[in-house]
Amino acid sequence: MQTNFRVQTARALPAFVLYSLAGLALAQPQPQPAAPDDALGGTWSTFSHICPGGNRTDALHRDPNGTLWVGCGTAAEGYGLFRSADGGASWQAAVVSPANRLDQFRVSSISRGHDGALYVAGDNSAPSNLEMVVRVDTASTPYAVTPTLVGINQNGRVFHVGTYRELADGRAIAEALNGTNVLYRPLPTTGTSAGSWVRDLGTVQILDMVAANDAFYGAGSRIVEPPRVFLPPRTPGNAPWQFETVELQPANGWEGELWGIAVNARRVVAVGIDQDSNVGKIFVSSGDPYLAANYAEFSISALTGDTITWGRGACMRGNRIVVVGERQPLSSATGRVLISDNGGVSFSVITPAGVSGTVSKCVIEPDGTVVVTGSGGFVGVRQDPDWIFVNEFERD
């Protein structure tokens, strides 16, 4: 579906770091000294993950026990799944069975499913292998890998999956990395063949998707269209993939895409770029998220002082919201990190020293610790112990 748009190019940049996963002992990086406190009192430590491909981190997932997982599927050699059991300080390739099962799998999405297993989505580059989503059983090592969604050579039934998510009852959506195709699984017992899943060729592009409040939420659009969020259908009987689209600009407003979304019971947060002005944007809902007028809009450039900016990702826990992205043109230390501790009423810049060229993903720990990942294997961990006592930290 989407062709020749800047949105597609930005999602798959050339890589400059190549790794071999087969038979390679991967050395662990040493943490850099903690950076000076940021303006809000947080302290950063920086590390490096070993996900191949230097342009960005495509997927970051945190388990309830604190284990972190990353994937870098859009890089030229962005194969494999990697994990950290110590909060991001050290990383290892996931030990799977069969041993080479993920060596040519481009990981663009990582999440836990309805059955507690880890679901890894993207594209298998091995010849004649059309796997799009695999199930990784992390209950014991090595992790058994089995197919969940396998493409077939029909229009809209084979693509590089950008995001895959499941609801508590096993209903699932896989959306295309570069296009408007969506595949929907109505039951967990539906077969693994894409021919058994409901196909929607679509007319609008989803660039990020989450499962929250036991429903699917998405964000996206294209360079020549208004920014959009995709909300759960309210019409009785409609399937979860039949989103209600909310355009966050009027007919004469700016055009651009939303690249990241975070949702909890209180609000929807979406981030992206105004392509008309080359300015990153943050949207935060209050009240009914189905009404465009209920979204506050923030300029990342106005907050950071940069001319050209881009919002890449967002995460949220309670009233704490973190937004990650970059200033352009990309160079060393052009990544940007912003935070709100008042539910998106205001944002502050907390970019760490030694940041990478871009920061693309983030998660927030239960104690408020922020973990961000970006290009070149960059991992930043921000701690501010006093946050645990404010803003109803225990509520998601």
Side-chain angles (χ1 to χ4, degrees), residues 112-199:
R112 289 284 170 182
H114 72 287
D115 57 357
L118 195 71
Y119 285 83
V120 174
D123 172 70
N124 198 317
S125 299
S128 303
N129 191 320
L130 298 181
E131 287 180 338
M132 302 162 67
V133 182
V134 295
R135 180 184 187 272
V136 182
D137 184 353
T138 60
S140 60
T141 306
Y143 307 142
V145 179
T146 54
T148 293
L149 175 60
V150 181
I152 61 175
N153 288 313
Q154 292 181 8
N155 182 30
R157 295 195 186 274
V158 60
F159 48 78
H160 185 144
V161 176
T163 318
Y164 174 81
R165 295 291 185 265
E166 293 189 358
L167 300 183
D169 61 4
R171 290 177 293 173
I173 290 179
E175 59 89 7
L177 178 73
N178 294 312
T180 61
N181 293 337
V182 167
L183 287 171
Y184 169 66
R185 183 179 71 184
L187 296 167
T189 54
T190 300
T192 62
S193 170
S196 301
W197 292 44
V198 177
R199 177 185 62 178

Side-chain angles (χ1 to χ4, degrees), residues 39 54 89 102 105 112 149 186 276 278 280 282 312 355-356 379:
L102 298 179
F105 199 99
R112 289 284 170 182
L149 175 60
D276 294 342
N278 292 314
I282 305 169
R312 291 292 185 181
V355 71
S356 54
V379 179

Side-chain angles (χ1 to χ4, degrees), residues 101 170 223 259 269 284 322:
R101 187 62 179 271
I223 187 175
W259 286 79
V269 177
V284 181
V322 174

Side-chain angles (χ1 to χ4, degrees), residues 228-253:
R228 297 177 169 120
V229 291
F230 307 104
L231 304 182
R234 293 175 293 180
T235 301
N238 278 11
W241 61 268
Q242 296 174 303
F243 295 104
E244 293 193 30
T245 300
V246 180
E247 296 187 350
L248 298 184
Q249 286 293 292
N252 60 347

Side-chain angles (χ1 to χ4, degrees), residues 323-354:
V323 172
V324 295
E326 71 216 31
R327 75 163 173 83
Q328 294 189 353
L330 297 179
S331 184
S332 60
T334 50
R336 295 292 182 262
V337 184
L338 302 95
I339 195 168
S340 170
D341 273 332
N342 53 19
V345 175
S346 61
F347 286 86
S348 300
V349 179
I350 55 167
T351 305

Side-chain angles (χ1 to χ4, degrees), residues 40-67:
L40 299 184
T43 299
W44 286 94
S45 299
T46 58
F47 309 94
S48 295
H49 68 61
I50 52 177
C51 182
N55 60 298
R56 62 185 295 167
T57 303
D58 291 289
L60 170 65
H61 171 76
R62 178 190 180 275
D63 283 335
N65 68 1
T67 300

Side-chain angles (χ1 to χ4, degrees), residues 230-391:
F230 307 104
L231 304 182
R234 293 175 293 180
T235 301
N238 278 11
W241 61 268
Q242 296 174 303
F243 295 104
E244 293 193 30
T245 300
V246 180
E247 296 187 350
L248 298 184
Q249 286 293 292
N252 60 347
W254 56 264
E255 296 176 331
E257 322 91 60
L258 297 176
W259 286 79
I261 187 169
V263 179
N264 64 17
R266 306 177 186 182
R267 67 187 68 86
V268 174
V269 177
V271 303
I273 182 171
D274 168 357
Q275 293 282 13
D276 294 342
S277 301
N278 292 314
V279 170
K281 294 290 187 175
I282 305 169
F283 288 94
V284 181
S285 74
S286 61
D288 185 356
Y290 290 83
L291 298 177
N294 287 347
Y295 287 80
E297 178 180 341
F298 299 84
S299 161
I300 294 178
S301 291
L303 292 163
T304 64
D306 302 306
T307 301
I308 301 176
T309 53
W310 199 307
R312 291 292 185 181
C315 52
M316 176 164 51
R317 183 177 288 273
N319 282 333
R320 170 159 285 187
I321 303 167
V322 174
V323 172
V324 295
E326 71 216 31
R327 75 163 173 83
Q328 294 189 353
L330 297 179
S331 184
S332 60
T334 50
R336 295 292 182 262
V337 184
L338 302 95
I339 195 168
S340 170
D341 273 332
N342 53 19
V345 175
S346 61
F347 286 86
S348 300
V349 179
I350 55 167
T351 305
V355 71
S356 54
T358 183
V359 183
S360 49
K361 297 295 179 181
C362 65
V363 294
I364 303 173
E365 304 275 0
D367 67 354
T369 296
V370 175
V371 180
V372 301
T373 55
S375 55
F378 175 79
V379 179
V381 179
R382 179 186 187 268
Q383 296 176 311
D384 54 336
D386 290 343
W387 184 75
I388 196 170
F389 299 110
V390 299
N391 287 327

